[in-house]
Amino acid sequence: MLRKRRRTTMKSLTGTVSNNGRTAIKVKNKALELQTWSDLPDELLELILSRLTLADNVRASAVCKRWHASASAVRVVNQSPWLMCIPKFGSWCEFYDPVHRKTYSWEFTELTGSRLCYAKDGWLLLYRYRSHRVFFFNPFTREVIKLPRYEMTCQIIAFSCAPTSPGCVLFAVDHVTPLFVVISTCHLGDSEWTTLSYRNRLPFVSSSIWNKVVFFNGLFYCLSLTGWIGVFDPVKRVWNVLAVPPPKCPENVLAKNWREGKFMTEHEGDILVIYACSSEKLIIFKLDQIKMEWEKMDTLEGATVFASFLSSHSKTDMPGIMRNSVYFPKVRFYGKRCISYSFDDCRYYPRKQCHDWGGQKPFENIWIEPPKNFSGFLDES
């Protein structure tokens, strides 16, 4: 009788364990069935949302609080510049969109025989050596604006704003000796360029593409080969070399490399200079205009700089993965990845590209800002 009760108890326990196992499996399967898109890991969710257009990003942010936070973190409010590549021969140009990692090709016969000089506000400034013609070109509207003939003996030329805006002025500087420069200016509507000579109270050495020019607050700021800042007021026609000692070169970096990997931009009222030296970490300096000295920085504070030898742009509100980074004018991996440097991670992307960012021809690549929501290039390659 006792053995029978034990067998009955064991069967009951066995059945209970079996039932509990089946119940646990059912509960687990039910939990999996109940998982939704809102259960995606943050990293995967941000990656998906970063690929959406601005309109779709705003719609996605209305799903729930978590999606709103992720969508806001990667929302592109400002349009990213595109990298434009003009071949030395031929008329087909390529445009690379770093946000969507897409490449577009478009033919511009208007640019044949021309050389890039500068880019700003969606416009290019180009020069034809044979005809000594400087002209504006908008690749998104194909509009051309001709300028007076100008025999450009220097490589340093820039303009203040889009030629369709009032007050657009062009600026070119060339040094005769370290203590003597020649500056030429031209306003839209002028029949010729105005050229004046200036003496420098401090040395200012100009040399091909290693100079950088930025226009803001009504002034042209020009960074010389050796790191001195020259400032030109186009209204008063006054030139001055600031008494600000150049940024110090790191002890383990050759002075030549220190000069060549140099980029300058304006960001929210500050002049920023970025130095890239081979495998070394990028270094940022901000011009303190009160103390009149260069202040070293370890971060771009969330901004994104699109750097090229002829002109550079700074942007805010880029996708999360693009923030606090510098994007160089070179695309690798069959047009799918632009070489960049992240100040958050203190490394280049893709890996081992620290020696490869500067191997392109400077007069054939430049960052240019397309119009908002531009979709005119339909022949995606």
Side-chain angles (χ1 to χ4, degrees), residues 52-70:
L52 300 180
T53 63
L54 178 59
D56 290 336
N57 180 288
V58 173
R59 295 188 188 99
S61 66
V63 172
C64 62
K65 289 183 178 179
R66 182 165 167 268
W67 277 43
H68 182 272
S70 296

Side-chain angles (χ1 to χ4, degrees), residues 212-214 216 219-223 229-231 264 271 289:
K212 311 298 171 186
V213 181
V214 166
F216 91 107
L219 303 173
F220 286 98
Y221 289 78
C222 186
L223 186 68
I229 290 281
V231 183
M264 182 171 70
I271 294 289
Q289 299 184 63

Side-chain angles (χ1 to χ4, degrees), residues 275-293:
Y275 287 90
C277 304
S278 189
S279 61
E280 298 294 322
K281 295 179 181 179
L282 263 65
I283 304 174
I284 321 169
F285 291 96
K286 180 174 70 174
L287 179 61
D288 188 325
Q289 299 184 63
I290 298 176
K291 297 180 180 178
M292 295 303 286
E293 63 183 20

Side-chain angles (χ1 to χ4, degrees), residues 112-138:
T112 303
S114 302
R115 199 212 75 188
L116 285 169
C117 296
Y118 202 73
K120 188 180 178 71
D121 296 340
W123 286 82
L124 297 172
L125 184 64
L126 301 108
Y127 180 71
R128 286 197 179 100
Y129 281 105
R130 288 186 178 180
S131 61
H132 302 303
R133 279 286 185 186
V134 180
F135 65 99
F136 285 107
F137 180 71
N138 188 321

Side-chain angles (χ1 to χ4, degrees), residues 36-52 57 60-61 63-74:
T36 63
W37 283 88
S38 61
D39 297 314
L40 283 173
D42 290 338
E43 295 80 5
L44 184 57
L45 181 60
E46 286 193 5
L47 180 62
I48 294 173
L49 294 176
S50 68
R51 301 300 180 90
L52 300 180
N57 180 288
S61 66
V63 172
C64 62
K65 289 183 178 179
R66 182 165 167 268
W67 277 43
H68 182 272
S70 296
S72 299
V74 299

